[in-house]
Amino acid sequence: MPLRIFLAHLSRGITGPVCAESPKAQANRLTHNPRKLNLFKICDEISESLKIRTITKNISIHNNVSEEITVFADINLLKTILRNLISNAIKFTNQNGQISIYAKHDNANVTISISDTGIGIAPEYLIHLFDISPLHTTDENTVNEKGTGLGLYLCKECVEKHGGKIWAESELGKGSTFSFTLNPIEVKPTEKAIL
């Protein structure tokens, strides 16, 4: 299967015969072609693409990323990371909940965080979130939606392709925050970041 199709399927949580090759084998073939990107615009694009799902559950997404922040990243891998993390936040957030996207820029990294007011994750699951082994989770407030854990493994692989780190913090009943780091770019006054 072409890698772009594999990425599309995993980012939508589709598993089964269409993903016959193991996720680990596919992830090893991820290409990495970084360029300067405007983080705010990409977060906005991904949030808009998931709007139908947020309307169904009356969930609001707040993009709190500064319009000035840029990152040096592969656009397809970055979109895959964001789509997976925001999709998971929608999936495991209660009706009428909120999701917030933040980014903090320091000299070494840009740290991007996606926080939700969802059901949270038990400590025994939290330490294995990014493992390749499947994780099935459901709750009555998530409209019986399930997660396989494969999308989070893919996120980890995509982040590590950029030399970054990914982690999660969570408290049952209060929500979760998933964060990852990317390399920053200093934008000169005459330069503009591309979408």
Side-chain angles (χ1 to χ4, degrees):
M1 180 197 310
L3 187 59
R4 61 182 177 80
I5 297 177
F6 170 77
L7 286 172
H9 283 303
L10 269 191
S11 66
R12 290 169 174 79
I14 300 172
T15 58
V18 74
C19 291
E21 188 175 0
S22 74
K24 188 170 185 177
Q26 290 277 6
N28 287 337
R29 293 171 41 232
L30 293 174
T31 57
H32 180 235
N33 299 304
R35 55 180 171 144
K36 183 168 33 179
L37 303 169
N38 184 288
L39 184 60
F40 173 85
K41 290 183 179 179
I42 291 183
C43 289
D44 233 26
E45 178 185 332
I46 299 301
S47 298
E48 188 65 25
S49 72
L50 297 169
K51 194 171 183 178
I52 292 177
R53 293 181 59 192
T54 62
I55 290 174
T56 302
K57 297 178 71 175
N58 195 31
I59 292 172
S60 57
I61 298 181
H62 303 283
N63 182 1
N64 299 303
V65 176
S66 167
E67 295 186 33
E68 303 302 315
I69 292 181
T70 59
V71 292
F72 192 61
D74 180 285
I75 189 166
N76 293 320
L77 297 187
L78 177 56
K79 286 183 177 181
T80 296
I81 297 165
L82 290 170
R83 188 178 295 109
N84 269 289
L85 295 182
I86 297 172
S87 291
N88 280 350
I90 295 169
K91 184 182 296 183
F92 296 110
T93 293
N94 304 333
Q95 301 275 349
N96 307 311
Q98 293 187 37
I99 296 166
S100 299
I101 309 169
Y102 301 94
K104 183 174 67 175
H105 185 187
D106 58 35
N107 291 331
N109 295 296
V110 173
T111 302
I112 300 119
S113 299
I114 292 91
S115 297
D116 64 58
T117 57
I119 62 175
I121 304 165
E124 61 266 30
Y125 290 123
L126 197 59
I127 59 174
H128 298 295
L129 273 182
F130 302 100
D131 293 349
I132 189 64
S133 55
L135 169 67
H136 294 280
T137 309
T138 187
D139 183 270
E140 62 180 3
N141 291 318
T142 66
V143 198
N144 294 318
E145 294 178 284
K146 288 186 176 182
T148 65
L150 294 178
L152 290 177
Y153 173 78
L154 180 64
C155 286
K156 176 176 176 286
E157 293 296 317
C158 290
V159 170
E160 290 180 350
K161 280 283 184 181
H162 292 86
K165 296 180 180 179
I166 185 168
W167 66 94
E169 301 167 279
S170 186
E171 188 174 346
L172 275 176
K174 293 190 176 180
S176 305
T177 298
F178 284 78
S179 302
F180 63 98
T181 59
L182 293 175
N183 292 325
I185 293 178
E186 294 296 330
V187 180
K188 297 178 181 179
T190 56
E191 293 181 335
K192 291 185 178 179
I194 57 178
L195 177 59

